Amino acid sequence: RKEVEQDPGPFNVPEGATVAFNCTYSNSASQSFFWYRQDCRKEPKLLMSVYSSGNEDGRFTAQLNRASQYISLLIRDSKLSDSATYLCVVNALQDNNDMRFGAGTRLTVKP
Amino acid sequence: NAGVTQTPKFRILKIGQSMTLQCTQDMNHNYMYWYRQDPGMGLKLIYYSVGAGITDKGEVPNGYNVSRSTTEDFPLRLELAAPSQTSVYFCASNFPRTAKNYGYTFGSGTRLTVV
């Protein structure tokens, strides 16, 4: 089993749609959770951290379920500019040197 | 404020050649990392450093070496390049977890092909 698993997609949705991605992780001791966005042939960029209570940033909502060991990202009112690959990242340790990356979920938003 | 700068952006190496991938950051981050990203795979940690003079192996260190003589610079050395090292290499940096925002800042990547 991979340490961080994501549905690779692709997810093809029309503009304005709501789309949700899930990510599961295997290490129950994982401490911190993130979603990164990666555009084609570019570097990953931090989209948002994921907090235990769930958090929202504009059209983006992240949820964490520790009992089931999964993280979700919900995008509302999808824009063309949301087209990218979304990476789930899990940090297993107290410090920063064990971030584990999922392979990513690819999203294409169409007009 | 340039963030994390990587050079070169592209490189083709022949089997057995050596090269150094350069990485420098101007954010005074303590922690720096080297990752590789293969198609359809998650980023894999090669080496990391928690400060000048300190380096540690990550998940896939074989065939690579690093040094951290200053806070700003964290070069990655490939000795005796092999086709299996064909990949996209990303350098990243951040503050420790105790900092308010410790998400990674990535460089723009180096696309390396070994033929």
Side-chain angles (χ1 to χ4, degrees):
Chain A
R1 182 184 174 188
K2 292 181 181 178
E3 292 187 75
V4 181
E5 289 202 72
Q6 296 182 250
D7 181 343
F11 284 63
N12 298 309
V13 303
E15 271 188 291
T18 295
V19 61
F21 308 136
N22 289 330
C23 165
T24 58
Y25 60 94
S26 60
N27 186 347
S28 60
S30 297
Q31 300 284 332
S32 308
F33 311 89
F34 309 87
W35 283 101
Y36 279 73
R37 171 196 170 122
Q38 186 173 25
D39 293 297
C40 187
R41 301 179 75 84
K42 298 286 188 181
E43 72 274 21
K45 293 186 178 178
L46 180 64
L47 180 64
M48 57 197 306
S49 301
V50 186
Y51 303 121
S52 296
S53 56
N55 47 301
E56 188 174 307
D57 183 2
R59 297 182 293 109
F60 299 85
T61 300
Q63 297 280 351
L64 167 64
N65 185 321
R66 284 189 185 271
S68 301
Q69 293 179 212
Y70 82 78
I71 308 146
S72 64
L73 177 68
L74 182 76
I75 305 175
R76 291 180 298 279
D77 189 22
S78 300
K79 310 292 185 190
L80 296 177
S81 57
D82 293 334
S83 297
T85 296
Y86 291 83
L87 308 177
C88 174
V89 182
V90 175
N91 185 9
L93 300 179
Q94 290 287 347
D95 55 22
N96 288 305
N97 30 23
D98 201 21
M99 297 274 197
R100 298 299 171 122
F101 286 75
T105 298
R106 186 173 167 191
L107 171 67
T108 301
V109 181
K110 300 187 174 181
Chain B
N1 189 337
V4 179
T5 302
Q6 286 184 241
T7 56
K9 292 191 183 301
F10 305 93
R11 184 72 185 268
I12 298 174
L13 276 184
K14 293 184 178 179
I15 294 172
Q17 285 186 320
S18 300
M19 76 165 293
T20 299
L21 282 66
Q22 302 291 344
C23 176
T24 186
Q25 53 92 9
D26 61 359
M27 298 171 286
N28 203 31
H29 284 170
N30 306 77
Y31 289 23
M32 296 188 75
Y33 311 81
W34 275 105
Y35 284 89
R36 59 177 287 172
Q37 185 176 33
D38 300 318
M41 306 288 287
L43 278 74
K44 300 291 186 184
L45 181 63
I46 305 171
Y47 270 96
Y48 67 95
S49 169
V50 301
I54 306 169
T55 62
D56 275 297
K57 295 179 180 179
E59 203 177 345
V60 289
N62 291 344
Y64 307 94
N65 276 299
V66 293
S67 60
R68 183 95 182 269
S69 57
T70 66
T71 299
E72 294 78 20
D73 300 306
F74 191 42
L76 177 72
R77 178 83 178 162
L78 277 72
E79 305 281 1
L80 299 174
S84 60
Q85 293 178 305
T86 294
S87 189
V88 180
Y89 292 84
F90 288 104
C91 179
S93 70
N94 69 341
F95 286 117
R97 187 173 182 268
T98 50
K100 183 178 179 180
N101 178 5
Y102 65 105
Y104 284 179
T105 299
F106 282 90
S108 58
T110 296
R111 293 186 176 275
L112 175 67
T113 302
V114 181
V115 296

